[in-house]
Amino acid sequence: MTSARRLVAQHLQGLRLSGVDFIPKEPEPRPPPPAEAPRVTAEPPAHAPLVEPKPSADTRPQADDERSRRQALLDEVRRRYERDAPHERFVTGHTRIVFGEGDPCARVMFVGEAPGEEEDKTGRPFVGRAGQLLDKMIVAMGLSRDRVYIANVLKTRPPNNATPTPEEAALCAPYLHDQIRIVAPDALVTLGLPATRLILGSDESMSRLRGRWARIVTGEGRVVPVMPTYHPAYVLRQYTPEVRGKVWADLRLVVDRLAGLPASP
Ligand code: URA
């Protein structure tokens, strides 16, 4: 596909995702942010970029050895997780560990809640219905699944797909933080409340947190911008143009950010 055709296809995919069935002549103005700032760390003002901006493509050219180095580090975290088996300290309904997958040098990392039935069967994150919607979101962003990294708060399926408790999330958090530190994405998208609350250490509601940049600092001192948005499973349950439009607006903030950042490191 030519790049122009790809861009048009991407744009249409985004429109479909957000429930838009017509193309307005002028872009819609962005709604003003809520008056009260969330408790989470705010982003610095636009005039203080985290890194020198430079136009970049949707890819992050990496030497193969850097990709291999990071993959080896991720493999080591996985082995440590398997050895420590933090999930043995709470009740699970799992048969497989779903550690996470994707490009170790991804510019965008998604963090979901916990594996479901399909993920438990395959050992891969986000391969069920919610995963199919996530795939569409990724494509609408001009990315592909193999160029992003996907992980979950819990690495094992909870019984009856229960929402992870804060205690369960805390037990598994060190491994997720290691995944984030190693991948060091330019943007981390938290999908739904458990992931957002764990990553941001916030107890705010999703409607207050979504669509606003926050940031975390990894163990290596690297700043990772965080964009919370609704979980695809929630979008499937509330499949309205309003909800889809909000998610797409959040993802567009990520796309815009990537376009202004260098494809690094
Ligand atoms: N929901 C999640 O949060 N993660 C998955 O991997 C699948 C569904």
Side-chain angles (χ1 to χ4, degrees):
M1 209 188 287
T2 65
S3 66
R5 286 186 60 154
R6 191 170 56 83
L7 280 177
V8 172
Q10 245 171 257
H11 182 61
L12 291 175
Q13 175 74 269
L15 289 174
R16 270 196 297 276
L17 190 73
S18 60
V20 175
D21 47 14
F22 65 93
I23 301 176
K25 286 208 179 79
E26 299 294 333
E28 292 282 322
R30 292 234 172 102
E36 203 185 318
R39 285 198 313 111
V40 298
T41 320
E43 276 274 280
H47 56 76
L50 303 173
V51 283
E52 283 292 301
K54 119 176 152 202
S56 71
D58 61 357
T59 56
R60 193 182 194 184
Q62 289 289 328
D64 283 350
D65 54 358
E66 176 59 10
R67 190 163 267 104
S68 308
R69 187 185 74 82
R70 293 192 197 189
Q71 187 57 57
L73 291 172
L74 288 167
D75 292 345
E76 175 50 36
V77 176
R78 184 189 178 117
R79 282 193 293 274
R80 189 154 45 79
Y81 178 91
E82 288 169 353
R83 265 198 318 272
D84 299 348
H87 53 271
E88 285 179 3
R89 296 169 65 186
F90 51 88
V91 182
T92 75
H94 82 287
T95 53
R96 283 173 196 255
I97 290 170
V98 181
F99 180 71
E101 68 177 23
D103 183 353
C105 295
R107 298 191 72 196
V108 183
M109 176 167 172
F110 294 88
V111 178
E113 188 174 312
E117 188 178 4
E118 291 304 315
E119 291 76 21
D120 185 60
K121 276 187 200 150
T122 58
R124 300 182 56 208
F126 280 100
V127 291
R129 278 189 73 221
Q132 284 159 21
L133 181 55
L134 179 61
D135 287 350
K136 287 185 188 164
M137 289 157 56
I138 291 168
V139 170
M141 294 171 78
L143 300 166
S144 58
R145 192 168 161 123
D146 59 355
R147 302 206 82 93
V148 302
Y149 193 85
I150 306 175
N152 280 307
V153 170
L154 298 194
K155 315 291 191 217
T156 50
R157 184 185 183 201
N160 304 314
N161 298 331
T163 304
T165 66
E167 293 73 26
E168 291 166 356
L171 281 167
C172 298
Y175 310 89
L176 177 60
H177 286 306
D178 278 346
Q179 288 171 296
I180 296 168
R181 177 179 51 78
I182 294 164
V183 176
D186 288 334
L188 179 67
V189 180
T190 53
L191 302 166
L193 203 53
T196 303
R197 284 191 167 164
L198 177 72
I199 296 294
L200 299 184
S202 167
D203 55 8
E204 292 279 12
S205 68
M206 210 50 218
S207 60
R208 288 191 54 76
L209 293 171
R210 64 145 282 273
R212 309 188 72 185
W213 285 109
R215 58 214 292 255
I216 56 169
V217 182
T218 70
E220 284 169 1
R222 187 185 165 106
V223 173
V224 175
V226 180
M227 175 54 64
T229 195
Y230 291 123
H231 193 287
Y234 172 80
V235 181
L236 287 173
R237 285 195 304 275
Q238 307 287 326
Y239 204 68
T240 63
E242 191 195 347
V243 169
R244 284 183 285 159
K246 284 180 179 169
V247 171
W248 180 232
D250 302 344
L251 298 180
R252 282 204 32 199
L253 292 173
V254 175
V255 173
D256 290 350
R257 180 172 201 116
L258 294 186
L261 287 176
S264 60

